[in-house]
Amino acid sequence: MTKRLLTGVVLAAVVLFAAAWGLAPVFAGQALIRAAKAGDARKLEQLVDFPALRTSLKDELNKELIARMGRDPRVTASGLGGLGMMLAPMILSGAIDTVVTPEVLAEMVTTAEAPDPTRRGAPEPADEGSDKDIHKAWGYRDMNHFAVTLTDRDHPDQHLALILERRGLFTWKLAAVDLQSESQ
C-alpha cells in the first residue's frame, strides 16, 4: 500500500512538473500582453530583454527594407540606390535604439504591427478594446523558443510573431520578433 502511494505521488509530481514546464511560456506570453496593454513599464522591463529585442527588430526591419528597395525599379536603376541600400541599415539601427520602448511594445501588441521608426513622436495610446480584431496563435518553435503570433484580422497576410526565449527552467522573456508577410 505504501509503495503504491509513493508511486502515485511521484507520478503526480512528474505530471505537474511537466505541465508547469510546458505551460510556462503561455503564462509568460499572457503576462506580457496584459502588461503591454496596461502600459506597465516596470512589468515589461521584467518580461522583455530589450537589447535582444532591439537587435532582432533591426535585423527584421533591415531585411524588409532591403527587400522593398530591391523591388523598387527606381532604386535599383539609380546609382544612388546602392548608396541608399548601404546607408539605410545604419540609419534604421539608430532609430530602433530610440524607438523600442515599453510604450511602443504596447502598440505592437495591440496593433500586430512592427514599429515605424520613421514616425516622429510617441505612439498614440491604444483605445480600450482596440485589439478586438487581433488574433493570437501560440506555439513552440523549439524547446527554448515560443512564439505568440499576432494577426490583425483586417490584414491577414501580415503577422507579427513575438518570440519568447527560455531563461532558466520556468522563466521566459521576449527576446525577438519575426515579421512575416505573405507578399515577401
Side-chain angles (χ1 to χ4, degrees):
M1 183 71 162
T2 321
K3 189 175 184 179
R4 278 187 164 176
L5 180 62
L6 182 61
T7 303
V9 169
V10 169
L11 185 59
V14 168
V15 168
L16 285 174
F17 176 83
W21 187 83
L23 292 174
V26 174
F27 296 135
Q30 290 174 340
L32 174 73
I33 290 170
R34 278 192 308 273
K37 287 179 183 177
D40 187 347
R42 183 177 300 161
K43 185 70 173 172
L44 286 173
E45 289 290 334
Q46 296 171 355
L47 296 170
V48 178
D49 180 350
F50 278 102
L53 179 62
R54 287 182 182 105
T55 299
S56 171
L57 198 51
K58 287 175 195 178
D59 293 344
E60 288 292 317
L61 290 177
N62 277 331
K63 280 190 252 178
E64 185 175 320
L65 179 66
I66 289 172
R68 283 184 185 179
M69 290 174 79
R71 289 189 303 256
D72 188 344
R74 295 173 296 173
V75 173
T76 55
S78 168
L80 293 176
L83 178 63
M85 289 178 86
M86 287 178 13
L87 292 176
M90 290 185 288
I91 295 168
L92 185 64
S93 176
I96 293 295
D97 285 337
T98 59
V99 166
V100 178
T101 62
E103 294 80 18
V104 170
L105 183 58
E107 182 182 12
M108 288 170 61
V109 168
T110 58
T111 64
E113 294 177 3
D116 182 357
T118 61
R119 185 176 54 223
R120 302 280 185 233
E124 296 177 17
D127 296 337
E128 197 64 34
S130 65
D131 68 330
K132 65 180 186 260
D133 290 336
I134 303 299
H135 176 264
K136 298 171 192 77
W138 309 77
Y140 277 94
R141 292 219 167 155
D142 59 41
M143 295 296 282
N144 295 315
H145 295 91
F146 187 86
V148 180
T149 304
L150 307 172
T151 307
D152 184 346
R153 293 185 199 273
D154 294 336
H155 304 284
D157 60 329
Q158 296 177 351
H159 312 282
L160 173 67
L162 305 174
I163 310 298
L164 296 133
E165 275 186 4
R166 183 181 305 279
R167 303 288 170 92
L169 201 53
F170 297 105
T171 305
W172 292 78
K173 282 194 170 200
L174 175 62
V177 293
D178 187 2
L179 306 177
Q180 307 161 359
S181 177
E182 305 294 324
S183 63
Q184 289 181 342

Coordinates of all heavy atoms in Angstrom, one line a residue, residues 68-82:
R68 N 12.2 45.7 -50.0 CA 11.3 46.7 -50.6 C 12.2 47.5 -51.6 O 11.7 47.9 -52.7 CB 10.7 47.6 -49.6 CG 9.6 47.0 -48.9 CD 8.9 48.0 -47.9 NE 7.9 47.4 -47.2 CZ 7.2 48.1 -46.2 NH1 7.5 49.3 -46.0 NH2 6.2 47.4 -45.6
M69 N 13.4 47.9 -51.2 CA 14.2 48.7 -52.1 C 14.6 47.9 -53.3 O 14.7 48.5 -54.4 CB 15.5 49.2 -51.3 CG 15.1 50.2 -50.3 SD 16.6 50.7 -49.3 CE 17.4 51.8 -50.3
G70 N 14.8 46.6 -53.2 CA 15.2 45.8 -54.3 C 14.0 45.6 -55.3 O 14.3 45.4 -56.5
R71 N 12.8 45.7 -54.8 CA 11.6 45.6 -55.7 C 11.3 46.9 -56.4 O 10.5 46.9 -57.3 CB 10.4 45.1 -54.9 CG 10.5 43.7 -54.5 CD 9.2 43.2 -53.9 NE 8.7 44.0 -52.8 CZ 8.8 43.6 -51.5 NH1 9.3 42.4 -51.2 NH2 8.4 44.3 -50.6
D72 N 11.9 48.0 -55.9 CA 11.5 49.3 -56.5 C 12.5 49.6 -57.7 O 13.7 49.8 -57.5 CB 11.7 50.4 -55.4 CG 11.2 51.8 -55.9 OD1 11.0 52.0 -57.1 OD2 11.0 52.6 -55.0
P73 N 12.0 49.7 -58.9 CA 12.9 49.9 -60.0 C 13.6 51.2 -60.0 O 14.7 51.3 -60.6 CB 11.9 49.8 -61.2 CG 10.5 49.9 -60.7 CD 10.6 49.6 -59.3
R74 N 13.0 52.2 -59.4 CA 13.7 53.5 -59.3 C 15.0 53.4 -58.5 O 16.0 54.0 -58.8 CB 12.8 54.6 -58.7 CG 11.6 54.9 -59.6 CD 10.6 55.8 -58.9 NE 10.1 55.0 -57.7 CZ 9.4 55.5 -56.8 NH1 9.0 56.8 -56.8 NH2 8.9 54.8 -55.8
V75 N 14.9 52.6 -57.4 CA 16.1 52.4 -56.6 C 17.2 51.6 -57.2 O 18.4 51.9 -57.2 CB 15.7 51.8 -55.2 CG1 16.9 51.5 -54.4 CG2 14.8 52.7 -54.5
T76 N 16.8 50.5 -57.9 CA 17.8 49.6 -58.5 C 18.4 50.2 -59.7 O 19.5 49.9 -60.0 CB 17.1 48.3 -58.9 OG1 16.0 48.5 -59.7 CG2 16.7 47.5 -57.6
A77 N 17.7 51.1 -60.5 CA 18.2 51.7 -61.7 C 19.1 52.9 -61.3 O 20.0 53.3 -62.1 CB 17.1 52.2 -62.6
S78 N 18.9 53.5 -60.2 CA 19.7 54.7 -59.8 C 21.0 54.3 -59.2 O 21.1 53.4 -58.4 CB 18.9 55.5 -58.8 OG 19.7 56.5 -58.2
G79 N 22.0 55.1 -59.5 CA 23.4 54.9 -58.9 C 23.3 55.2 -57.4 O 24.1 54.6 -56.7
L80 N 22.5 56.1 -57.0 CA 22.3 56.4 -55.6 C 21.6 55.4 -54.8 O 21.6 55.3 -53.6 CB 21.7 57.8 -55.4 CG 22.5 59.0 -55.9 CD1 21.7 60.3 -55.8 CD2 23.8 59.1 -55.2
G81 N 20.9 54.5 -55.6 CA 20.1 53.4 -54.9 C 21.0 52.5 -54.1 O 20.6 52.1 -53.0
G82 N 22.1 52.2 -54.6 CA 23.1 51.3 -53.9 C 23.6 52.0 -52.7 O 23.8 51.4 -51.6

